[in-house]
Amino acid sequence: MAKKQFKAESKRLLDLMINSIYTNKEIFLREIISNASDAIDKLCYMSLTDDSIGMNRSDFRIDIIPDKTARTLTIRDNGIGMTMAEAEQNLGVIAKSGSFAFRNEMTAGQTVEENEDSDRNGAEDLSIIGQFGVGFYSAFMVSDEVTVISRKYGEAEGVRWNSKGADGYTVAPCERETVGTDVIMHIKPDTDEEIFGTYLEVWKIKALVRKYSDYVRWPIRMDVEHQERFESEEKNDDGSPRYEYKMVTENETINSMVPIWQRSKSEVTDDDCIAWYKEKNRDRKDPCALVRVNAEGAVSYRAMLFVPGEQNENVFTGDNKGGITLYSNGVMIMEKCDKLVHEYFGFVKGVVDSPDLSLNISRELLQHDRQLRIIGQNLEKRIKGELEKLMRDDRPKYEAFYKNFGIDLKAGVCDEYGRYKDFLRDLLIFWTSEDKQITLKEYVANMPESQKAIYYASSDSLKHALALPQCEEVRRRGYELLYLTHPVDEAVLQSLMEQDGKRFLNVVTDDLGFETEEEKKAAEERDIENRELLDFVKENAVEGISRVKLSNRLASRPCAMTTEGNITLEMERYFRYGPSEQYRDLRATRVLELNPEHPAFAALREAYENDREKAGKLAKILSVLAGISAGDELENAAEFTDLVAELF
Ligand code: ADP
């Protein structure tokens, strides 16, 4: 029989398939099953108006028949089938618009390796094609020969199409008893790198069907062997029944068919969705928010998304990230689509199903991108809405969510120079006392008339932040504070810049504006008066202090360590132990503040005048104490204890 040649562009695609460029070869099964499902759709649709077809909805099915002896995998459907002309037409060319996008990326004769090196975009697009589907040709990723035996509805004769790959195909009439199509894939021999034989294993096929084709609406059936227990005729010695086991083969439906998200809210309750989520994600905890969308418009889609209550750590894979799975009419296109929502909502899990996302590359890829963006934007609004609702209605639950995923939101605020900060700011909460967290809006709403700014204190723990001496002055005035406890918090406030027109002020480093002009002047004069003593303290203090000054902000504390400039002590510590080598030696500019109203200062002055040696010791002790209360480590504990003991 004379071989016919594939059209040029089909040949190129075929070459790629045969040379197995796609890492996820397993998608071939999804592609062949989708075609079968489409073929059934067509015949089923016709049978609605044409009784002579003699088929009921329940008669339609897809069979998977692995045959290890012949090393073939057959996908059989009783759909519409193909005539000989159609088989030639459909299996000999790839869809026009798809080939257009494809041709643009691949230049003649270029291998994929070259392409990856010389043209990153080309390589990326290739992987996208892999995700979006490649149709019938994908069979050649795992087969070295494909035979299609089909009989079109209304035709007396069938067609046999056969191809061993790029060198062409044959077509010939053949017998086929019933209407429908068999796609028979002759699975490639195993190689050192790849065990193609696994595609003939029932467990593997089942897993692939569950992964990619679980929601195909026609039953996918396969012979599955399992152990069955039966009562033996013989009894046990004590007369009790004896059981034996044998392997039985049963023809089972291996897909669950109806995607839960395709059903309306009246059919499926939120609780049903939650139960589904828990089973799918092996999460024992309820999600803390659920978003269900049925959108029709520029892009139609259904979505069912979950905000997990806790980080669901998968102990086996360490994979605890969320992820949205993309479906097109129940057929999985992409397991984790990171194009839908931004990273700050990366914890969201669930599914999006849109018939507008074509499985095949019959549309330009860019168009998918645009559709995904539209869907993504809408979903982000809905997710935010649900989180706000949770925050309003069940604050403890929101706080639990925030404990796990607040960091993603905060990182989102800082990302891309604050591009998303206004979208996210209302979702942030901060500690405002030992046991209370509030939003920035709430903080501003609580502000008394006299308060001009938002005050915050930052430390490595809530306990330390609460204990910062500079906070006392603010609290004494009846103002609330935000206590920042995570290294990224300060960057978050810097990125937000303001809230409802109010600035953020760091109680440790910023001028809080509490002092009147007269007070400021008096303080300057006082510093000049005490200059000699302050210089003496600096000389005797621990190393690394750039300035010593007097301060009115210390309330009942004798001293405090503050900083000047952009680097705070928290940032210094973060960088010292943080992941980046580059900033390890970054140091804050330390300022030692002394409280002139405190008895310690009076004792220091007294010693300075009468006993310089003692004054030197006191200066050193005060500087160490200030460091400790700001979270510095006590570097030489023995020396410090001796120093204190010498004073008695
Ligand atoms: P696409 O599905 O995007 O059209 P494919 O390469 O997967 O691209 O399939 C090409 C065409 O071959 C299909 O559109 C369909 O007309 C035909 N076809 C493939 N498989 C079957 C089948 N099982 N039954 C009937 N027609 C089929």
Side-chain angles (χ1 to χ4, degrees):
M1 201 184 314
K3 267 211 180 103
K4 301 194 181 189
Q5 293 301 307
F6 288 106
K7 294 264 163 59
E9 55 210 358
S10 311
K11 197 161 179 284
R12 182 99 45 76
L13 180 51
L14 205 50
D15 272 337
L16 288 163
M17 289 300 149
I18 293 161
N19 297 320
S20 300
I21 50 156
Y22 301 123
T23 41
N24 57 337
K25 299 193 179 71
E26 60 187 32
I27 60 146
F28 80 94
L29 190 61
R30 170 194 85 176
E31 300 294 316
I32 302 302
I33 290 176
S34 312
N35 282 347
S37 170
D38 290 348
I40 294 177
D41 283 348
K42 286 178 194 154
L43 189 58
C44 179
Y45 183 73
M46 276 172 71
S47 69
L48 294 178
T49 52
D50 184 351
D51 285 343
S52 69
I53 293 174
M55 297 278 280
N56 287 319
R57 239 194 114 79
S58 58
D59 297 332
F60 292 108
R61 58 189 274 177
I62 297 165
D63 286 285
I64 303 186
I65 308 147
D67 181 341
K68 282 188 187 165
T69 324
R71 213 177 160 84
T72 56
L73 180 63
T74 301
I75 312 298
R76 172 175 298 159
D77 68 70
N78 53 358
I80 186 117
M82 283 175 274
T83 62
M84 188 184 294
E86 283 169 342
E88 272 205 73
Q89 173 64 32
N90 296 337
L91 307 179
V93 247
I94 55 170
K96 275 279 170 283
S97 59
S99 64
F100 172 71
F102 197 75
R103 199 172 43 213
N104 282 347
E105 296 310 324
M106 304 300 296
T107 47
Q110 204 174 23
T111 68
V112 177
E113 281 74 20
E114 279 166 2
N115 199 309
E116 267 175 10
D117 284 338
S118 61
D119 178 359
R120 275 238 28 90
N121 287 336
E124 266 165 24
D125 283 337
L126 267 185
S127 77
I128 295 171
I129 293 172
Q131 285 160 342
F132 274 93
V134 279
F136 173 76
Y137 288 89
S138 58
F140 285 98
M141 292 195 284
V142 298
S143 338
D144 46 21
E145 180 176 358
V146 179
T147 310
V148 178
I149 295 175
S150 188
R151 189 177 134 199
K152 172 98 176 186
Y153 169 73
E155 300 282 320
E157 206 172 40
V159 55
R160 184 177 189 281
W161 181 99
N162 190 74
S163 171
K164 285 192 170 142
D167 63 339
Y169 63 91
T170 58
V171 273
C174 77
E175 287 298 307
R176 196 183 193 280
E177 220 171 282
T178 52
V179 168
T181 304
D182 279 21
V183 176
I184 305 158
M185 292 169 274
H186 302 258
I187 300 297
K188 288 183 186 176
D190 296 344
T191 65
D192 287 346
E193 291 94 47
E194 195 123 25
I195 312 292
F196 291 101
T198 48
Y199 297 122
L200 296 165
E201 301 286 350
V202 167
W203 63 267
K204 180 70 182 178
I205 297 168
K206 267 178 99 168
L208 290 180
V209 168
R210 268 193 79 81
K211 183 169 175 188
Y212 295 106
S213 312
D214 203 25
Y215 305 112
V216 167
R217 54 193 165 283
W218 307 108
I220 300 172
R221 305 190 60 111
M222 184 168 62
D223 281 347
V224 179
E225 258 195 344
H226 48 80
Q227 246 185 5
E228 207 161 83
R229 191 178 80 155
F230 65 98
E231 202 177 322
S232 163
E233 283 179 8
E234 288 170 33
K235 302 265 179 219
N236 285 326
D237 293 344
D238 62 1
S240 61
R242 175 185 293 185
Y243 292 102
E244 284 180 7
Y245 294 86
K246 66 171 178 191
M247 296 305 281
V248 288
T249 302
E250 254 178 301
N251 192 257
E252 280 181 11
T253 298
I254 54 174
N255 58 329
S256 50
M257 295 200 280
V258 190
I260 184 168
W261 60 87
Q262 290 288 15
R263 307 226 200 122
S264 67
K265 288 191 183 176
S266 57
E267 275 180 286
V268 173
T269 65
D270 286 357
D271 283 346
D272 293 334
C273 297
I274 289 169
W276 178 87
Y277 160 85
K278 284 159 83 173
E279 201 230 282
K280 269 273 169 200
N281 291 284
R282 299 200 175 79
D283 193 346
R284 270 172 291 132
K285 298 263 168 40
D286 279 355
C288 65
L290 165 64
V291 175
R292 296 173 77 180
V293 188
N294 180 8
E296 273 168 33
V299 185
S300 301
Y301 65 93
R302 283 175 182 263
M304 193 168 83
L305 304 179
F306 304 87
V307 176
E310 257 169 54
Q311 235 147 349
N312 172 21
E313 204 139 345
N314 189 324
V315 280
F316 298 112
T317 61
D319 177 12
N320 59 4
K321 282 299 276 177
I324 299 175
T325 309
L326 208 57
Y327 287 84
S328 174
N329 267 334
V331 178
M332 200 255 265
I333 313 178
M334 207 188 289
E335 198 165 15
K336 280 191 180 186
C337 179
D338 54 9
K339 286 216 164 65
L340 269 172
V341 297
H342 286 97
E343 238 177 300
Y344 48 75
F345 283 158
F347 47 79
V348 173
K349 294 185 180 186
V351 297
V352 168
D353 192 333
S354 170
D356 295 341
L357 297 172
S358 161
L359 238 196
N360 296 287
I361 47 166
S362 52
R363 289 157 197 245
E364 286 186 48
L365 297 165
L366 277 178
Q367 202 178 333
H368 284 306
D369 247 23
R370 199 181 62 85
Q371 288 162 334
L372 288 181
R373 260 203 308 278
I374 296 174
I375 299 175
Q377 274 168 5
N378 290 338
L379 291 179
E380 287 207 354
K381 277 187 219 145
R382 295 290 302 262
I383 295 165
K384 181 181 168 189
E386 280 306 313
L387 289 175
E388 284 177 323
K389 193 163 141 247
L390 183 68
M391 186 194 261
R392 230 175 17 243
D393 301 346
D394 191 344
R395 191 53 80 90
K397 210 167 168 188
Y398 187 81
E399 285 171 6
F401 151 77
Y402 198 79
K403 191 162 171 243
N404 288 309
F405 303 112
I407 185 67
D408 297 69
L409 303 177
K410 290 179 196 173
V413 169
C414 303
D415 248 18
E416 293 193 40
Y417 307 104
R419 202 167 149 192
Y420 312 111
K421 67 180 181 193
D422 288 320
F423 182 71
L424 296 171
R425 70 165 72 225
D426 293 342
L427 295 176
L428 304 175
I429 50 175
F430 297 92
W431 291 102
T432 187
S433 71
E434 238 164 307
D435 49 12
K436 191 171 166 218
Q437 297 178 79
I438 58 170
T439 65
L440 296 173
K441 254 207 172 93
E442 288 163 346
Y443 181 100
V444 172
N446 293 344
M447 279 168 63
E449 191 85 31
S450 60
Q451 188 179 345
K452 298 287 173 268
I454 298 171
Y455 302 107
Y456 70 89
S458 161
S459 190
D460 55 348
S461 71
L462 183 57
K463 205 167 127 220
H464 286 155
L466 280 159
L468 284 171
Q470 292 90 344
C471 295
E472 273 188 41
E473 169 73 7
V474 182
R475 285 191 294 248
R476 204 169 50 75
R477 287 170 188 262
Y479 301 159
E480 270 183 312
L481 280 128
L482 301 177
Y483 300 100
L484 310 188
T485 55
H486 191 278
V488 80
D489 286 347
E490 234 177 320
V492 169
L493 293 190
Q494 269 174 23
S495 179
L496 291 173
M497 291 198 291
E498 52 83 39
Q499 173 70 37
D500 300 323
K502 306 284 189 253
R503 291 186 303 142
F504 299 105
L505 290 183
N506 184 336
V507 294
V508 174
T509 53
D510 290 325
D511 178 358
L512 304 185
F514 289 161
E515 288 174 330
T516 61
E517 284 306 311
E518 280 115 67
E519 279 169 337
K520 268 190 196 153
K521 210 155 161 231
E524 269 165 33
E525 276 166 20
R526 195 182 53 196
D527 271 8
I528 295 168
E529 266 167 41
N530 288 289
R531 196 66 268 159
E532 213 185 302
L533 172 59
L534 296 181
D535 287 345
F536 174 82
V537 173
K538 190 181 161 206
E539 264 162 48
N540 288 277
V542 285
E543 271 174 40
I545 289 169
S546 66
R547 202 154 76 86
V548 182
K549 69 173 199 181
L550 298 176
S551 167
N552 290 335
R553 299 196 290 178
L554 304 184
S556 59
R557 312 290 170 107
C559 56
M561 190 71 80
T562 62
T563 55
E564 279 174 336
N566 288 333
I567 305 161
T568 61
L569 292 172
E570 288 66 44
M571 286 159 95
E572 176 188 300
R573 274 191 287 271
Y574 177 65
F575 286 123
R576 188 179 311 166
Y577 304 112
S580 156
E581 286 276 340
Q582 198 183 349
Y583 302 114
R584 201 135 289 173
D585 296 326
L586 219 58
R587 291 287 172 269
T589 310
R590 285 170 160 71
V591 178
L592 172 61
E593 296 191 13
L594 299 176
N595 181 354
E597 310 301 330
H598 197 277
F601 187 75
L604 176 68
R605 170 157 285 290
E606 210 260 333
Y608 179 68
E609 272 149 23
N610 303 313
D611 181 350
R612 284 288 160 99
E613 202 193 327
K614 185 179 173 193
K617 288 175 185 168
L618 290 177
K620 184 152 192 181
I621 291 169
L622 284 172
S623 68
V624 173
L625 292 180
I628 295 174
S629 70
D632 277 347
E633 271 166 36
L634 179 55
E635 270 171 24
N636 194 336
E639 193 189 315
F640 181 69
T641 350
D642 289 348
L643 195 62
V644 175
E646 280 164 26
L647 292 175
F648 293 103

